[in-house]
Amino acid sequence: MAEHLRHGEEALHRVVASDVLAPVHEHLLGVRAADARHPRLGHHPVGAEERRVIHVDELHRRVGKPAQQRVVLVGVRLRIGADAIQQGSHAGHATTAGRIVPGVQAVQFDLADPQFPASLVDVDEPALPGPDWARVEVLTGGICGSDLHLFSHNTGPSPTLYGNVAFPFLLGHEIAGRVVEAGPDCAVRVGARVAVDPCIPCRARGIDPPCANCARGWTSSCLNLDSRVVSPGRSLGFTQGLGGGWAEQVAAHVSMLHPLPDGVPDRAASLHEPVSIAAHGLLRAPPAEGDPVLVVGAGIIGLATLGALRGLFPSHEVTVLARHEHQATAARACGADHVVRPAPDNAHFAELAELSGSRVVGRRGELMLMPGFPYVVEAVGAPQSVTESLRAVAHHGTVLLLGAAGISEVDLTPVWYKEAALVGSIDHTVDAGSAPGLAGGPSRHSVDRALDVLAAGFLPDEVVVTHEFPLDAYRDAVATAIDRGGANAIKVVFRPCG
């Protein structure tokens, strides 16, 4: 305990590593995020003139942190009070009440180390918030592109969502595991292998009556994701106290649990999350019968979209635009009809034009297809890929935005010039629509559709799961996922208990 107290009283120098942390520095400390970047990413620390002190009670009022977890921020110095100390034994933690609670390991985004914004910590195993919740031993936890936004600024920020995360928070929202404890009202048995939907809408939070969107069945658009009921944070992977996919355990409501088919092995199981993202998006605005589809991006969201198309709309011809050669190889292995590699001068537009029966217009590299592809899926979120998707869509066509794009500069000319529809989509829900493929039955949850896609082999794990890491190698895992070109990485997963 003395050792832990000493560490708790040390000042932990830290600066902002991601725009997601603007709630801490901009909202709480009044420090501009642009002036407080992480030194490892080549930015400068907060200057002395930017520092100010926030009284502990005011801090807790703003972030909703329980009183027993006192944290004082002095400029960018973090002090952990004695009543927040947890004894770091992996066998159990000493709490303020003096009782022993079993401990688990988790990767926490906490800005505690100047060299890396996340830490491997010992935390209490997640308690069940209610009788219809379960505790799940994590067998596989994926690293998502949206996770990497915290470590590398590869898309624009989304400042309107800053209030939807706790701080600090346990990482990982791509989760599959085995139930180790079930509440008395949880219908999923202990020992069952499950895919975990990370969203925590009204039903899971026990909010009754539900919000207007949940009442409509739009649980992916729940209006209470920022309510802080049950836990702060909109979903698993951005909360406190519930565990996460980058942890040994996670807590989930019965409505968040989906039985894993025997045909989906543990190492593939967390792939349900990106495939579900794609399946829900495709059913938000389905492609018309026979329309060729262009998928811009061949990272995991692009390849998951390819798998979802094969499971939902198998007769559609699919072209994939793949940045890296290993991604192109994976796209071919996953069944793409055509794979195109982008060229620096946009010369690949000629190949896209030939495949779509179009011609290329524009000059000096600023090119557009006429007419283009009737249906385009943007699967990256970067400004260049959003612009490319819009320039490739046909008149009166659809661009489905699955990449987590934020504030950025893109060319919106094709939206009005071609009268195209730009459709957004997020998360997972029961989609009332149907599709002709094996996963296309009406009124099914997108996670269940995704599991059908995986069980059918439309997104083979031997192709897309390129790297596996234990939790204690979390820094190497994140670095590998960021360096996708150099490491030939597609999906990097943790195997906490696998």
Side-chain angles (χ1 to χ4, degrees):
M1 175 65 76
E3 176 76 6
H4 222 71
L5 284 170
R6 190 176 79 249
H7 285 296
E9 288 301 316
E10 288 179 353
L12 302 176
H13 294 277
R14 188 61 198 166
V15 292
V16 173
S18 167
D19 291 309
V20 171
L21 266 293
V24 176
H25 287 264
E26 292 179 350
H27 182 54
L28 300 182
L29 302 182
V31 177
R32 297 191 311 273
D35 294 329
R37 303 296 189 195
H38 192 278
R40 186 169 182 174
L41 302 177
H43 301 286
H44 61 275
V46 178
E49 70 280 4
E50 300 273 29
R51 301 180 181 178
R52 53 183 277 218
V53 176
I54 294 293
H55 188 274
V56 64
D57 293 331
E58 174 67 5
L59 173 62
H60 295 156
R61 182 187 69 79
R62 297 191 196 181
V63 301
K65 185 173 276 296
Q68 70 270 22
Q69 296 179 354
R70 295 290 186 181
V71 174
V72 183
L73 286 173
V74 183
V76 293
R77 295 172 68 85
L78 179 64
R79 294 187 183 275
I80 304 176
D83 54 353
I85 297 301
Q86 295 176 323
Q87 188 166 336
S89 168
H90 191 58
H93 292 161
T95 68
T96 54
R99 63 190 181 92
I100 300 299
V101 178
V104 296
Q105 286 192 317
V107 180
Q108 175 175 273
F109 195 88
D110 55 12
L111 305 178
D113 182 344
Q115 299 305 312
F116 201 80
S119 305
L120 183 65
V121 297
D122 280 340
V123 298
D124 294 344
E125 69 177 20
L128 302 187
D132 48 2
W133 282 67
R135 189 161 48 85
V136 177
E137 177 184 71
V138 178
L139 298 176
T140 314
I143 297 181
C144 178
S146 61
D147 296 323
L148 297 180
H149 300 341
L150 300 168
F151 301 89
S152 174
H153 297 279
N154 50 358
T155 64
S158 299
T160 54
L161 303 181
Y162 286 165
N164 286 357
V165 296
F167 182 80
F169 56 90
L170 300 185
L171 286 155
H173 60 272
E174 298 182 357
I175 311 167
R178 179 178 288 107
V179 175
V180 294
E181 180 186 4
D185 296 336
C186 179
V188 181
R189 63 175 176 82
V190 171
R193 295 168 66 243
V194 291
V196 180
D197 175 0
C199 301
I200 315 177
C202 286
R203 181 185 172 193
R205 295 179 190 268
I207 297 175
D208 190 22
C211 71
N213 284 354
C214 283
R216 294 185 180 101
W218 303 348
T219 56
S220 59
S221 300
C222 175
L223 299 173
N224 286 317
L225 296 179
D226 61 349
S227 67
R228 296 184 175 271
V229 175
V230 173
S231 178
R234 67 178 309 277
S235 68
L236 296 175
F238 301 97
T239 66
Q240 301 165 346
L242 296 179
W246 299 11
E248 291 177 319
Q249 294 184 1
V250 68
H253 186 263
V254 62
S255 64
M256 300 159 63
L257 302 177
H258 299 259
L260 280 171
D262 292 339
V264 179
D266 291 346
R267 76 186 302 268
S270 65
L271 293 172
H272 74 85
E273 202 277 343
V275 178
S276 175
I277 289 284
H280 170 52
L282 291 169
L283 287 171
R284 280 266 296 117
E289 180 64 30
D291 279 351
V293 177
L294 172 65
V295 178
V296 177
I300 192 57
I301 292 295
L303 296 176
T305 299
L306 175 58
L309 283 165
R310 294 183 65 199
L312 294 170
F313 302 98
S315 65
H316 290 251
E317 183 177 280
V318 182
T319 298
V320 175
L321 189 62
R323 178 181 179 186
H324 301 290
E325 181 56 39
H326 75 283
Q327 294 175 334
T329 300
R332 296 184 189 100
C334 291
D337 296 287
H338 310 284
V339 178
V340 176
R341 297 287 310 282
D345 58 356
N346 282 337
H348 62 284
F349 265 73
E351 187 175 355
L352 293 175
E354 182 177 355
L355 291 171
S356 61
S358 306
R359 59 190 175 90
V360 180
V361 300
R363 60 177 184 170
R364 295 179 181 175
E366 302 294 338
L367 306 179
M368 183 167 66
L369 297 182
M370 294 288 282
F373 289 83
Y375 197 94
V376 180
V377 180
E378 195 286 318
V380 181
Q384 181 179 351
S385 63
V386 175
T387 291
E388 191 150 29
S389 299
L390 294 172
R391 290 177 176 181
V393 74
H395 294 74
H396 293 254
T398 297
V399 175
L400 175 62
L401 192 65
L402 294 185
I407 294 177
S408 54
E409 183 175 324
V410 300
D411 182 7
L412 294 177
T413 304
V415 175
W416 56 264
Y417 187 75
K418 293 186 173 184
E419 299 183 273
L422 181 60
V423 177
S425 183
I426 188 174
D427 288 342
H428 324 277
T429 193
V430 173
D431 293 294
S434 61
L438 63 86
S443 298
R444 299 188 65 211
H445 198 284
S446 55
V447 171
D448 295 321
R449 297 183 194 274
L451 293 173
D452 285 350
V453 168
L454 294 176
F458 293 150
L459 190 68
D461 62 282
E462 63 269 20
V463 173
V464 299
V465 178
T466 55
H467 298 78
E468 302 175 63
F469 288 90
L471 281 180
D472 59 8
Y474 67 99
R475 297 191 184 203
D476 291 337
V478 170
T480 299
I482 290 174
D483 185 25
R484 58 182 63 87
N488 288 338
I490 296 176
K491 173 54 65 179
V492 179
V493 301
F494 289 107
R495 301 298 303 276
C497 302

